[in-house]
């Protein structure tokens, strides 16, 4: 019999802290029910003070689904664990992506969620911002909301790993991957600009700036203007929770209704994380 986890909301926008739970131990059905309900209610869950092996982190993540293995990330994974990516930045390896996004939206079935475990954190900086995409959609005027229901965006993996993300490209090349040739084999995919969450049934804005090339059916100028508007709107302070990492934090967030931004403000200090993605479904809009 495990203790019942205690859930404390950390922001009016989204996010909750879960205490009185040791994720290195087996949890009973009651504990899992509390965690699952909190996940769907708050979008981002933080479990502070955890001491986890890779296997224990995987055991937690696999409760929510199959883990994703990405070919291009294999050189950056823990040995023997192709589904566990190492995010390691220091003086020799500056942080790369510093843009709002949802993980791997350029694939046909983007991850349901991401499980990130902090092994080493910088003394100052290195926070992660999370934005509530339910609120972002609901905060738009009615005419804009209705218009978005008719629109889809094209997400391209090659763009997300392209030349505009120089640090990310350098990191891949150090691992023997040429981004300019490797990602051309992935065809762009189309996702609705508004998606229905399969569990909560709420509508959420679904954008991911590094991946989106354009909105279907609009001119280039219209597409750029609308995407710029939506990106700025989604980052409104009232929609955002800022997480300040502490070693031993495990954070689990829902990619279907959130965006996040890893703030690259800690160079040259060290930050070491283990990341796992839980497989998801193709985004859809329920009328």
């Amino acid at each position: 019999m495990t203790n019942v986890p205690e859930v404390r909301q950390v922001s009016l926008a989204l996010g909750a802290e879960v205490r009185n739970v040791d994720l290195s131990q087996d949890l009973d059905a009651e504990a899992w029910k509390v965690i699952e309900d909190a996940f769907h209610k708050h979008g981002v869950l933080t479990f502070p003070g955890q001491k986890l092996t890779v296997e224990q982190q995987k055991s937690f993540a696999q409760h929510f689904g199959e883990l994703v293995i990405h070919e291009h990330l294999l050189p950056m994974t823990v040995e023997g664990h192709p589904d566990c990516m190492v995010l390691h930045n220091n003086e020799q390896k500056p942080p790369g992506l510093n843009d709002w996004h949802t993980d791997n939206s350029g694939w046909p079935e983007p991850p349901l969620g991401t499980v990130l475990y902090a092994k080493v954190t910088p003394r100052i900086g290195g926070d992660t911002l999370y934005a509530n995409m339910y609120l972002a959609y609901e905060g738009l005027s009615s005419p804009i909301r209705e218009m978005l229901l008719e629109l889809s965006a094209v997400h391209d993996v090659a763009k997300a790993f392209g030349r505009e993300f120089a640090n990310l490209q350098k990191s891949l090349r150090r691992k023997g991957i040429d981004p300019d040739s490797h990602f051309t084999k992935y065809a762009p995919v189309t996702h609705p600009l508004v998606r229905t969450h399969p569990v909560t049934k709420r509508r959420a804005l679904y954008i991911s700036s590094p991946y989106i090339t354009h909105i279907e059916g609009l001119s280039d100028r219209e597409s750029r203007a609308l995407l710029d508007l939506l990106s700025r709107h989604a980052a409104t302070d009232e929609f955002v929770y800022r997480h300040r990492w502490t070693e031993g934090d495990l954070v689990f967030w829902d990619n279907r209704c959130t965006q996040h931004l890893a703030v690259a403000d800690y160079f040259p200090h060290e930050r070491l994380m283990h990341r796992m993605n839980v497989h998801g479904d193709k985004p859809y809009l329920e009328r």
Side-chain angles (χ1 to χ4, degrees):
M1 177 70 178
T2 54
N3 294 326
V4 177
E6 299 172 357
V7 180
R8 180 181 67 88
Q9 187 175 356
V10 295
S11 163
L12 291 176
L14 74 166
E17 184 177 87
V18 184
R19 291 191 173 271
N20 197 37
V21 61
D22 181 355
L23 298 180
S24 69
Q25 305 298 314
D26 292 333
L27 304 182
D28 63 17
E30 183 180 7
W32 278 120
K33 181 66 165 59
V34 171
I35 292 170
E36 290 165 2
D37 289 348
F39 179 62
H40 294 132
K41 179 179 180 180
H42 298 287
V44 178
L45 296 183
T46 303
F47 300 82
Q50 302 296 318
K51 295 182 179 179
L52 303 176
T53 64
V54 173
E55 287 290 356
Q56 289 165 342
Q57 183 182 351
K58 286 174 69 170
S59 179
F60 171 85
Q62 287 171 331
H63 177 82
F64 296 90
E66 180 184 353
L67 298 187
V68 179
I69 297 175
H70 284 296
E71 178 190 0
H72 67 283
L73 296 181
L74 290 177
M76 292 170 277
T77 55
V78 176
E79 185 176 356
H81 299 280
D83 41 20
C84 181
M85 181 185 180
V86 178
L87 296 172
H88 193 193
N89 299 108
N90 51 32
E91 188 171 3
Q92 288 73 43
K93 185 185 175 187
L97 188 62
N98 190 30
D99 292 76
W100 283 102
H101 65 285
T102 183
D103 283 341
N104 300 319
S105 69
W107 275 265
E109 297 180 341
L112 172 159
T114 299
V115 180
L116 192 61
Y117 179 55
K119 295 180 69 67
V120 178
T121 57
R123 185 175 62 85
I124 297 175
D127 299 347
T128 301
L129 278 61
Y130 298 93
N132 186 327
M133 294 295 98
Y134 294 140
L135 296 182
Y137 175 67
E138 294 163 2
L140 293 164
S141 64
S142 179
I144 296 295
R145 290 200 306 271
E146 291 300 314
M147 178 182 68
L148 295 183
L149 297 180
E150 306 300 323
L151 297 175
S152 296
V154 176
H155 298 241
D156 191 345
V157 173
K159 176 179 182 292
F161 294 90
R163 295 181 182 277
E164 63 184 290
F165 301 108
N167 286 341
L168 189 57
Q169 284 218 333
K170 289 178 184 176
S171 178
L172 289 169
R173 286 197 170 94
R174 279 197 295 265
K175 298 295 183 177
I177 294 175
D178 177 14
D180 295 331
S181 60
H182 180 84
F183 295 104
T184 57
K185 64 184 176 184
Y186 296 102
V189 296
T190 301
H191 298 312
L193 275 176
V194 179
R195 68 179 297 179
T196 300
H197 193 287
V199 177
T200 68
K201 301 304 180 183
R202 292 177 67 182
R203 289 173 173 174
L205 186 63
Y206 192 65
I207 56 175
S208 190
S209 293
Y211 286 92
I212 293 180
T213 59
H214 64 282
I215 298 173
E216 287 189 330
L218 302 188
S219 69
D220 288 344
R221 178 179 294 181
E222 291 168 337
S223 182
R224 288 194 303 269
L226 182 54
L227 288 171
D228 182 57
L229 167 67
L230 295 176
S231 296
R232 286 186 285 110
H233 170 74
T236 298
D237 289 345
E238 288 81 0
F239 306 154
V240 174
Y241 159 63
R242 186 179 191 117
H243 182 69
R244 293 176 172 83
W245 291 91
T246 300
E247 290 179 21
D249 282 354
L250 182 132
V251 177
F252 178 37
W253 66 85
D254 194 330
N255 280 298
R256 301 165 296 186
C257 59
T258 69
Q259 278 198 110
H260 60 280
L261 185 154
V263 184
D265 62 349
Y266 54 94
F267 179 80
H269 300 289
E270 184 178 21
R271 185 177 187 263
L272 173 60
M273 307 284 196
H274 281 177
R275 191 193 82 170
M276 299 174 187
N277 283 150
V278 181
H279 189 272
D281 300 314
K282 182 168 178 58
Y284 69 96
L285 173 62
E286 192 172 278
R287 297 288 180 170

